[in-house]
Amino acid sequence: MDPLTSPLLKQPASHDADLTATAAEVAAIVRLTRGRRAQSIAIGSGRTPHARETARLIEAAWDRAGGTTLTTVTWPETGASWLRHASRFADASPDLWVMTGPATGWAQMTRRLLWSTPWRPERTLATAAIGDPRTLALVGLVNLNGLAGTTAHGTAWRVEDDALRYPVRAEEGS
């Protein structure tokens, strides 16, 4: 893994889409979570209205599926370090972490997670907005091997061998 020189980005993303997850996307996140035999999740999201709504939709769907949400942590899009948010998110110690939100906040939170916590991308699922190659590049694919998620249409994607691979069959996203 290439070492990150700092968890802070030098400049914000130029493509910060603020999307609410689709029903197909939420259903696919639950399918991928079940496919990994997870019982508990921790949800992390940006603080924008769409990111919070996506976190709420995922939590509700996961609860309906019989899963347990240990915590929901939000992070700001801009900040000084994200250490407090990253520590709370990682310390939940779920079977899987689920992440959503605009590119800039997610990238800085993820860089802080990699820099300062035991969080691992291979135990993390992400929404379609995060699966944008430009968003993943903010952290570096080499740092995200194992991260998986879904497109807005519910097709699984995964970072593998330092490359974004999609579409993959749902069972491969697990």
Side-chain angles (χ1 to χ4, degrees), residues 4 6-13 15-16 45-46 75-78 81-82 86 99-115 119 129-130 132-140 143-144 147:
L4 298 172
S6 167
L8 297 176
L9 295 173
K10 293 184 187 336
Q11 61 187 19
H15 62 281
D16 255 351
S45 80
W75 54 77
E77 298 310 302
T78 59
S81 84
W82 288 266
M99 299 178 84
T100 190
T104 300
W106 173 80
Q108 295 194 118
M109 174 67 166
T110 301
R111 290 163 66 99
R112 175 50 76 185
L113 285 163
L114 288 164
W115 185 274
W119 172 87
I130 293 169
D132 182 311
R134 297 169 298 174
T135 301
L136 296 170
L138 294 170
V139 176
N143 298 309
L144 297 171
L147 177 70

Side-chain angles (χ1 to χ4, degrees), residues 35-72:
R36 291 187 179 197
R37 295 184 173 86
Q39 297 297 314
S40 65
I41 63 172
I43 302 171
S45 80
R47 291 184 180 162
T48 64
H50 294 290
R52 285 179 186 238
E53 178 63 8
T54 295
R56 188 196 66 73
L57 290 169
I58 292 169
E59 182 173 11
W62 183 240
D63 289 349
R64 283 191 306 275
T68 301
T69 302
L70 299 176
T71 190
T72 300

